[in-house]
Amino acid sequence: MLNKRKMLEIALILIIIIIAYFLHIEQEFYSLHILSLMGIYVLLVLGLNMVIGNTGLLDLGFIAFYAIGAYSAALLSIKGLSFWIILPISILITGFFRFLLGKPLMRLRGDYLAIVTLGFGEITRLVLNNWDYLTNGPKGLPGVGERIQPIKLFTFTFTQELHYFYLILFFTVGSIFAIRRVERSKIGRAFVAIREDETAAEVSGINTSDIKLFSFVTSSIFAAIAGVIYVHWIGFVSPESFTFWESVFLVCMVVLGGMGNLLGIIFGVVLLVGTPEFLRVTLGGEFVLYRMLIFGLLMVILVIFRPQGIIPEKRRTLELVSEK
């Protein structure tokens, strides 16, 4: 028997599919594009939320692994490999780099961890910008879209915007299901224990270094999936898509929505990705110039009046109430 929460989630997915279908019938290419873009960001914040929201590790360089996944997919696509082969290879490459970074970092906490991850994100962007032989520098990899094999599923070929939307929706829903299973497992409870008090968790017998490393590496899977789909969908990749501001943008979605709450971070994506595009259409292109200013004001207001986010994690709210 489904509870109210599961019925609400299923109803939400059905509503999104029905909206996408009618948008396709009405040839609303732009609206479908925005919905697909929001799906890519949901994949990214799902991974980042596992590190920041669930485990309490401040990661400011998550965008670097999105870049590694995207560039891996682009370079493998040029070699003529199919999407279903590129996807696991890109996940392994991204996870490998995440492991190399995470292994020595797990002894760090707080600001020190944030600074190192921030530095890795900038190093990755500089490498992509200057390694002309491999990445073609700041020009990006032109013509990737022409050399990418179309995604095929048995005899069906993905050719339209709606097809990519359903592909992104499939991976997004699958990722949400997988993360919810992890959150309810023994490992998920260890994440929360480390987030609340790492010293107490260690005294309780939890191997905090291994659990944090597991969270750190596992989160990169979602960044890699987002990167691979992005390259096949857009057909182009350049370092300009992976700047420090993109990392800040992702952190804002997690913090604004509600750290540790899946529904909250999805709301954060709708608020910061969907709403500006809607306002740009209705108010004009000048709105984009003031976007970062509005985001800054929103962050200040939330930190003052609602530091736990718009839709906070239920468990955290209960603990705060009990402390009073």
Side-chain angles (χ1 to χ4, degrees):
M1 188 69 181
L2 297 176
N3 57 34
K4 288 183 179 178
R5 190 183 182 89
K6 287 185 177 179
M7 290 177 68
L8 181 64
E9 291 172 354
I10 293 172
L12 183 63
I13 293 169
L14 289 175
I15 289 171
I16 292 173
I17 293 174
I18 293 170
I19 290 173
Y21 177 75
F22 282 105
L23 288 174
H24 178 65
I25 294 295
E26 298 295 330
Q27 297 298 311
E28 288 283 354
F29 176 85
Y30 181 74
S31 301
L32 270 176
H33 185 86
I34 297 304
L35 283 174
S36 300
L37 185 64
M38 288 167 62
I40 292 286
Y41 274 103
V42 169
L43 280 171
L44 289 171
V45 296
L46 285 173
L48 187 60
N49 182 61
M50 180 178 282
V51 178
I52 294 181
N54 293 341
T55 318
L57 306 174
L58 185 52
D59 184 355
L60 295 180
F62 193 71
I63 200 70
F65 300 96
Y66 178 36
I68 292 171
Y71 267 89
S72 301
L75 294 169
L76 290 170
S77 298
I78 293 174
K79 301 293 182 185
L81 299 178
S82 73
F83 172 82
W84 302 108
I85 296 176
I86 291 171
L87 183 63
I89 295 176
S90 297
I91 289 173
L92 287 175
I93 293 173
T94 309
F96 173 72
F97 280 101
R98 189 75 162 168
F99 177 81
L100 284 183
L101 175 68
K103 186 66 177 176
L105 284 189
M106 292 302 101
R107 294 180 182 276
L108 300 179
R109 297 184 185 184
D111 299 342
Y112 299 104
L113 179 64
I115 291 169
V116 175
T117 53
L118 170 63
F120 183 80
E122 281 300 288
I123 289 170
T124 303
R125 187 182 63 81
L126 290 172
V127 169
L128 296 176
N129 236 336
N130 293 284
W131 196 355
D132 290 347
Y133 174 75
L134 185 67
T135 66
N136 201 34
K139 298 176 184 175
L141 292 170
V144 174
E146 300 167 4
R147 287 181 277 182
I148 288 178
Q149 291 187 16
I151 300 175
K152 292 184 178 179
L153 185 62
F154 303 111
T155 58
F156 184 79
T157 304
F158 291 72
T159 56
Q160 301 177 19
E161 188 74 19
L162 184 66
H163 300 162
Y164 284 100
F165 169 77
Y166 283 133
L167 179 74
I168 293 168
L169 184 64
F170 170 77
F171 277 100
T172 303
V173 173
S175 299
I176 292 173
F177 177 77
I179 286 181
R180 290 198 65 175
R181 297 288 295 178
V182 171
E183 285 181 346
R184 294 174 181 178
S185 68
K186 186 177 178 181
I187 292 176
R189 291 192 290 273
F191 287 167
V192 176
I194 292 171
R195 181 191 70 195
E196 297 302 319
D197 192 326
E198 186 174 341
T199 304
E202 196 167 3
V203 172
S204 302
I206 296 174
N207 190 331
T208 55
S209 295
D210 286 351
I211 294 295
K212 286 194 296 182
L213 185 60
F214 178 82
S215 170
F216 206 68
V217 175
T218 305
S219 66
S220 69
I221 294 174
F222 305 99
I225 293 173
V228 174
I229 295 176
Y230 176 80
V231 167
H232 281 79
W233 174 42
I234 301 297
F236 176 74
V237 64
S238 79
E240 289 301 314
S241 302
F242 312 106
T243 61
F244 166 69
W245 291 110
E246 285 294 320
S247 279
V248 174
F249 199 42
L250 294 177
V251 173
C252 287
M253 292 176 202
V254 175
V255 175
L256 281 173
M259 290 188 293
N261 188 329
L262 294 182
L263 189 61
I265 61 171
I266 293 172
F267 184 77
V269 172
V270 174
L271 184 67
L272 296 186
V273 179
T275 306
E277 294 299 332
F278 172 75
L279 292 176
R280 179 161 61 176
V281 172
T282 55
L283 300 179
E286 294 79 9
F287 171 78
V288 177
L289 300 174
Y290 305 101
R291 188 177 62 171
M292 297 309 293
L293 177 63
I294 295 172
F295 288 170
L297 287 173
L298 272 175
M299 289 293 290
V300 171
I301 292 170
L302 276 172
V303 167
I304 295 173
F305 296 103
R306 200 169 176 83
Q308 70 273 36
I310 296 172
I311 307 177
E313 184 186 5
K314 190 176 179 181
R315 184 184 306 178
R316 178 174 293 186
T317 304
L318 289 174
E319 288 172 356
L320 289 173
V321 170
S322 64
E323 287 173 1
K324 294 175 181 178

